[in-house]
Each structure stands twice: as C-alpha cells, then as structure tokens.
Amino acid sequence: MPEISVIIPVYNGEKLIEKAVSSVLSQSFEDFELIIVNDGSRDKTEEICRRLSSDGRVRLFNKENAGVSEARNDGISMARGKYIAFLDADDTYETDFLSSLMSLIKETGASAAHCADTCLLPDGTGTYEAPAAKAGFYTPDEARELVVLPLLSGRLAEKPFNGFIWRFIYRADIIKDNKLRFSGAYLEDELFLIEYFSLGASLAITEKALYNYLINPASVTHKYLPDYPDTFLKSFEMKKALCERFSLSLPGDWENSTVWAGILIEAGNEFAPGNSACAGEKKRKLRAVFSSEPYASAIRNYTPSGMNKKKMIVARLIKMKLYGTLTLLYRIKNRNRS
C-alpha cells in the first residue's frame, strides 16, 4: 500500500500532461502511486499516458468522457494510499510538494495539509497566492473557520479564499468512509472542501508555494458556460444542505451574499468572449435569470459591499437594472483585453 495516491484527471491534455506527470515522478517523496484517469480524450493523451505508465508507480485508467468530477471519483475509488492528493493535468507540483505536506501531517497529526500556490500565466510569469492562514496547526474548529466559513459566507470579499482542492493532501479514510465525492464541472472543489472540513478534520499549513497553477484561457473557468445559472443554483442548494446537515453557524446574510457572488459571476460569464449571442440576447438572458429566484430576492433585499471598485460598479448597475450600460461596460472591458 503506497502512502499517497496522486490523482490526475485528464481530457485532451496532450500538450501538458507529460509535464504534469513528470512533476509527480520527480518528487523527493517516493512512496506514492500516480493514478491517471483519461476521461475519453480524443487527442494523443492516451498514447502519451501509456508511455508514461511504463513507470511502475503509474496506473492508467481509460474511460468514456463524463467530466472532471466523475474522473476524480473514479480515481478515489481506485486509490490504495493512506492519503490522497489531486493534480490538474495542466499544472505541476514543486519537487517537495508531497514531502513537505506529508512532513506537516506526521509532525502535527493533522487530518490534512495545505500550501500556497503560484498562479502562472502562459508566458511564465507568476504571482504568489497565499494559503488560508499563516503556517501552523489548526484544530477542527479552527479549520472550519479558515476553510468552510469563507467558502460559504466570504464570496464577496475583495480577495476571497479560493477553494482549490489541489492545494491540500487528505486522509483517504475520511474521504472513503464518508463517501465524499465530486459533483458537476464547476464549483465542485468548494463543496468537497466544505464537507471534508465539516467532518472534523484538523489542518496543518505551510506558506510555501508548492503548487503551480497554470491560468489557462481554454479551461472551464475561463470560457463561456451556457448553463452556469443552473450549475450555480445546484451548488447553492448543496451548500444549504451541508449547512443544515452539519448545523453550521453562519451570518444571517450568508445566503444573499452567496447568491450575489453567483450574480456577479453570471454577469461576467454572459459577456465572456466565447458567447456568440448578440448584445440584445445577452441582456434578455440576464434580465430573465435575475428576475427568477433566488436571484431576484437577493438583488431586491441585499446590497453587497467590501468588493473591489469594478465589482461594485457592476453590482450597482444590476441593482438598478441598467443592463444596457452593463453591456457597454463589458464591451469596453473585452476590447481592452484583445
């Protein structure tokens, strides 16, 4: 039984998968297995992964395309390690990612370990993204304060905590005994972290940037998502269910605050470059979405605050239903990007 199972879901990743796998195989910590779940790729991903699986630590599983969540779930089902880590196919680990986080777990007895990351642009420039808190050990109650509460009630902060699952190492028994699984293609990380740390997991943190996150313009988080409103609502309902299940104590306005975070994302999503609809269609869709519940109640009853200036402007325009002005604003923004 390996100490750690590293899970990489991949779909059409021929350009970057070898670099991701190499970053795992070159780890200073060697007691691991690497599970690559090829999610029905149509390019040369399978061919590359078969060659890489000549290393005895690599296990390749090919399946029909079903999305990143199902790919991760399959990886969890196959994992034999005492601990589980995740790596996206276009990202990389620093050489001491596994050793540093496992050392933290061994030293403190924590149920999970967490690190900072570097956000890399395609040109190689990067920015440091801090972990949830300063380096140290945090009890289960403290871990909930650091991870769960920001993911439920802190989504409108100027610099919200990003619920990236790949900045952590987890105990496999907590995941498997409680049947933790991923669901959907967007916001799935947040739900997983909320549930894991609501189950009483403690946390050890290092401020070292041990994970390299490639900001890929082609990824799901940077392209137009036509079904985003439905995806958000499903995630929102699941968050409410987790709050009820674990009797989480939250600020009374957390639901409206969370819905407003979804409103702002949907506004940006509707004007994403990948949306080929005309300006009139975009405005009509926003009016329809924001006239439905729970969006309408949040817009009517809650005024968001604490955000950066650009988001505040967008929020005011939505609250005043000035969708024509909002359209013009995003046209200028997208023109400046190109």
Side-chain angles (χ1 to χ4, degrees), residues 84 87-88 108 140 162 201 207 214 228 247 288 316 332 335:
I84 289 176
L87 174 63
D88 282 356
T108 64
N162 286 317
E207 293 176 70
L214 178 64
Y228 174 79
S247 301
R316 288 194 191 104
I332 295 170
R335 190 182 304 136

Side-chain angles (χ1 to χ4, degrees), residues 21 25 34 36 45-62:
V21 170
L25 299 182
L34 171 57
I36 304 173
T45 294
E46 181 179 351
E47 177 184 332
I48 294 168
C49 290
R50 284 194 182 281
R51 172 168 54 79
L52 296 171
S53 63
S54 60
D55 186 301
R57 296 169 294 179
V58 179
R59 299 167 63 197
L60 173 61
F61 177 66
N62 294 303

Side-chain angles (χ1 to χ4, degrees), residues 104-142:
L104 280 177
I105 287 174
K106 298 298 184 182
E107 290 166 7
T108 64
S111 311
H114 169 43
C115 68
D117 68 274
T118 301
C119 296
L120 292 174
L121 292 170
D123 64 5
T125 58
T127 57
Y128 175 85
E129 182 168 18
K134 292 186 178 298
F137 171 80
Y138 296 88
T139 66
D141 286 343
E142 292 169 334

Side-chain angles (χ1 to χ4, degrees), residues 30-97:
E30 296 182 344
D31 188 10
F32 66 84
E33 65 172 356
L34 171 57
I35 301 171
I36 304 173
V37 183
N38 176 29
D39 187 31
S41 296
R42 298 178 180 179
D43 59 3
K44 295 181 180 179
T45 294
E46 181 179 351
E47 177 184 332
I48 294 168
C49 290
R50 284 194 182 281
R51 172 168 54 79
L52 296 171
S53 63
S54 60
D55 186 301
R57 296 169 294 179
V58 179
R59 299 167 63 197
L60 173 61
F61 177 66
N62 294 303
K63 63 188 292 294
E64 292 185 6
N65 179 254
V68 65
S69 286
E70 287 304 314
R72 286 180 181 146
N73 292 340
D74 288 334
I76 289 171
S77 298
M78 291 184 288
R80 300 176 297 191
K82 298 176 186 176
Y83 296 89
I84 289 176
F86 297 98
L87 174 63
D88 282 356
D90 48 3
D91 298 340
T92 57
Y93 287 158
E94 289 294 308
T95 307
D96 56 345
F97 176 88

Side-chain angles (χ1 to χ4, degrees), residues 212-267:
N212 299 308
Y213 167 49
L214 178 64
I215 301 176
N216 182 1
S219 73
V220 68
T221 54
H222 292 88
K223 65 183 181 182
Y224 173 59
L225 303 172
D227 58 348
Y228 174 79
D230 290 337
T231 300
F232 171 79
L233 288 179
K234 288 176 184 177
S235 170
F236 181 53
E237 291 301 321
M238 291 173 76
K239 283 184 176 181
K240 290 198 292 184
L242 288 171
C243 289
E244 183 176 350
R245 173 183 166 191
F246 293 108
S247 301
L248 298 176
S249 178
L250 295 166
D253 60 2
W254 84 268
E255 291 188 26
N256 280 333
S257 174
T258 298
V259 172
W260 258 105
I263 288 169
L264 293 171
I265 294 172
E266 168 55 11

Side-chain angles (χ1 to χ4, degrees), residues 38 98 100 161 179 238:
N38 176 29
L98 295 179
S100 294
F161 171 68
K179 297 181 172 58
M238 291 173 76

